[in-house]
Amino acid sequence: MIAIFKREWKSIFSGMLGYSLCAAYVLVGGLYFWVYNLLNLYPDFGYTLYSTTFAMLVFIPILTMRSLAEERRARTDQLLLTAPVGVPSIILGKYLAMAAVFTVPVAVLGLCPLVMRMYGTVSLAKAYGALFGYWLLGCAGIAIGLFLSGLTENTILAALSTFGVLLLSYLMPGIQTLFTVGSLLALGVFGLLAALAGLLAGIRSRSLTFGMLVFLALCMALGLLYGLQSAALTSAFSVLLGALGLFTPFESFIYGIFSIPAVLYYVSIAALFLFLAGQGLEKRRWN
Amino acid sequence: MIQVEHLTRRYGSQIAVKDLSFTVPTGQICGLLGPNGAGKTTTMNVLTGYLSASEGRVIISGHDILEEPMEARRQLGYLPEQPPLYPEMTVEEYLRFVAELRRVPRAQRAEQVRKAMNRVAAADMAHRLIRNLSKGYRQRVGLAAALLGDPEVLILDEPTVGLDPAQMIEFRALIRQLGRKHTVILSSHILSEVSAVCDQVLILSHGQLMAQGTPDQLAEQLAGRTRLRVLVLGEAETAARVVRGLEGVQEVRAEEETGKTQLEITLTTGADQKQQAAVSLALAAAGCAVLQMETEALSLEEVFLQLTETDSPEPDETDFEEEGGQQP
């Protein structure tokens, strides 16, 4: 794992890419810091961070696009997968290297509250709590990017899909408000999900009847729920959309709340996507 | 030592390798010979654990590649068809990375890397970027990487493809030298290469084992085959049917032209006079007078072509050329 971590780190910083990415990130962060905290004398560093989350939409896809896709394209995955290293070590080595790269600009931004402190009173706990949440958010995003990079051997496609997924989750709060209407729509969406689950079950078990049965059972459960308690369906739908909004839990950190659920959310998102990335790599052996 | 038992590998519904079994004892060089798409690369990818077998087992130095993958892979050096190199690294950096990856103890890494570079005569390229290396040197660096960690088994996929003739000869000498200490499996579609380097040859075609033995054995067993050219008076259909019914006849081709038929008969054994007599008597009995008969010995090359091409059980498997890595 250490070997893979070191190689990945070196590879990111072997050309212009790593340096320019970090520099651009610090530049964006520094600009907002300058405008918000220095020019307008706003004492809260959390808001500055909150305003720069959009930079992750560009930073993360570019950072993660090559991680697995490039190995596959250049066939170097043959070296990794036939070496005496397990798939978890490969995924974790790469992930930690990219997380470490992301830590560089975050650490530089970490100097900002100290600068503010030199000229006034600042709650360092609040500022660094927000910075920690910010870092977790980025790390969760990197896990998603790593997973998506493992799905293709085209780095551009990997970057675009990561950007798309992150953008969608960035806009999710807005999308959520669009869908507050009626439980019928929620029923429709859940019905679609049930159909998808049925299709998947059918394909996995290679039996049409089984897939149909799964779909039918899910539909019946949904219908029952709709008949008895249609409000539950709407709120479940809202919760579902909320869980997809990667950037929302971070907001509690800005208000000075060290939110354990948010930490757990980010850690589990990262763990889930790293697991999926490992499964994706392992699966390629089999088909 | 490598044991392969009833190895089958499918891609979806297509079979790339079918029920392949063989053993390569320690210190032997084994050649996998076959045309493009015969299943060589797939076989090698399964041997190294890069792909899993659909059925059957692979045992490397006593360790099953799927059940004890770490132990088995430690005993395994793999040079894929396209050497897995990182262009942004220098040769030395790359080899150090591979040494660490292959669990070479820290104290031995520098020494092993140096040795491996000397072994493949790439030491003067140590500080060059891999991006800037020629195909021949890339191949050497790939081989050096496979040698790190001192694996017992070396698996080399078409190691001489893309090299110039001088490099090819050099590489073959190197492989022969490696074969003294390691167990080597190499693949090739060049017959002369395999018969020059290997102790044992497996001929694959359409994923199936067609023949197996030492190069000499194969030459003897296969080149013993003969072809009879017979010109008879009569219909192609009758003549061919009669000859097909005879013992020792492998293949018959018949061409009819103005009442005469030219038969091309491939015999599985040498064509002695008894065999020739049997053919002419059988033809005569069926009312086809023999006008001319000549024998022709088949070269090893021709036999190889015959084995791998005309015996095709399923002729639509040519798209396995990409084998393994490029499968979607």
Side-chain angles (χ1 to χ4, degrees), chain B residues 53-66:
Chain B
S54 306
E55 278 158 40
R57 301 203 314 156
V58 174
I59 297 161
I60 308 281
S61 309
H63 303 288
D64 189 302
I65 191 80
L66 284 182

Side-chain angles (χ1 to χ4, degrees), chain B:
Chain B
M1 162 127 156
I2 306 165
Q3 288 159 276
V4 177
E5 293 165 11
H6 304 290
L7 174 73
T8 297
R9 169 72 204 193
R10 281 184 285 268
Y11 292 116
S13 62
Q14 285 183 303
I15 295 180
V17 176
K18 195 173 171 188
D19 198 23
L20 187 63
S21 299
F22 60 89
T23 304
V24 187
T26 310
Q28 220 188 50
I29 304 180
C30 171
L32 283 183
L33 187 62
N36 289 335
K40 301 187 299 282
T41 301
T42 303
T43 305
M44 297 196 137
N45 277 336
V46 174
L47 288 184
T48 54
Y50 179 65
L51 292 176
S52 68
S54 306
E55 278 158 40
R57 301 203 314 156
V58 174
I59 297 161
I60 308 281
S61 309
H63 303 288
D64 189 302
I65 191 80
L66 284 182
E67 277 160 27
E68 303 173 275
M70 294 308 144
E71 288 81 359
R73 285 187 219 161
R74 237 178 245 237
Q75 297 300 328
L76 202 93
Y78 182 30
L79 173 62
E81 201 169 356
Q82 185 186 340
L85 306 173
Y86 294 99
E88 76 272 12
M89 294 174 111
T90 68
V91 171
E92 196 176 355
E93 266 175 358
Y94 171 72
L95 291 177
R96 274 177 186 252
F97 161 65
V98 177
E100 197 177 343
L101 200 65
R102 301 192 53 89
R103 315 263 166 127
V104 176
R106 183 184 293 271
Q108 296 172 25
R109 267 177 225 156
E111 173 68 10
Q112 278 219 18
V113 165
R114 197 184 52 76
K115 261 193 194 160
M117 281 196 293
N118 286 335
R119 199 87 191 259
V120 300
D124 32 335
M125 296 290 159
H127 301 293
R128 288 257 205 118
L129 282 180
I130 290 173
R131 188 195 308 282
N132 301 332
L133 291 185
S134 67
K135 168 80 185 158
Y137 270 106
R138 285 180 191 209
Q139 201 77 19
R140 286 177 204 217
V141 174
L143 184 61
L147 290 173
L148 290 170
D150 203 24
E152 197 218 303
V153 173
L154 286 177
I155 295 186
L156 315 173
D157 195 358
E158 310 230 345
T160 58
V161 162
L163 302 183
D164 67 41
Q167 287 173 325
M168 245 186 225
I169 291 167
E170 208 179 311
F171 230 78
R172 282 179 202 160
L174 182 60
I175 291 167
R176 228 172 297 149
Q177 200 189 339
L178 289 171
R180 288 193 208 125
K181 239 183 90 191
H182 304 264
T183 307
V184 182
I185 293 193
L186 64 88
S187 73
S188 177
H189 56 260
I190 308 164
L191 183 74
S192 61
E193 174 170 292
V194 166
S195 51
V197 175
C198 301
D199 304 313
Q200 195 194 155
V201 181
L202 305 172
I203 297 182
L204 284 184
S205 172
H206 301 280
Q208 277 175 303
L209 191 61
M210 304 306 291
Q212 181 177 10
T214 67
D216 290 342
Q217 275 174 352
L218 281 183
E220 200 177 300
Q221 172 192 339
L222 301 179
R225 297 190 181 197
T226 344
R227 190 181 287 153
L228 278 181
R229 281 179 193 281
V230 188
L231 188 65
V232 296
L233 210 56
E235 280 178 4
E237 215 175 298
T238 348
R241 182 168 41 78
V242 168
V243 176
R244 271 199 196 102
L246 290 174
E247 215 171 293
V249 171
Q250 195 205 4
E251 199 199 340
V252 181
R253 239 181 263 175
E255 228 170 85
E256 194 177 330
E257 205 180 312
T258 60
K260 290 178 196 166
T261 299
Q262 177 77 50
L263 288 172
E264 261 192 29
I265 307 166
T266 309
L267 301 171
T268 52
T269 54
D272 51 11
Q273 285 180 348
K274 223 169 104 189
Q275 187 66 272
Q276 289 184 36
V279 170
S280 76
L281 280 177
L283 284 170
C288 303
V290 176
L291 300 178
Q292 221 175 24
M293 181 183 283
E294 52 191 34
T295 59
E296 187 183 19
L298 289 181
S299 70
L300 198 53
E301 203 77 47
E302 272 179 295
V303 173
F304 166 59
L305 280 179
Q306 263 202 354
L307 271 179
T308 53
E309 274 159 26
T310 48
D311 288 2
S312 57
E314 289 153 63
D316 58 348
E317 287 189 43
T318 34
D319 39 356
F320 280 116
E321 193 160 347
E322 320 190 271
E323 290 177 33
Q326 285 176 5
Q327 287 295 320

Side-chain angles (χ1 to χ4, degrees), chain A residues 247-259:
Chain A
F247 293 77
T248 332
F250 169 59
E251 286 166 18
S252 60
F253 285 97
I254 309 161
Y255 305 127
I257 307 162
F258 193 87
S259 160

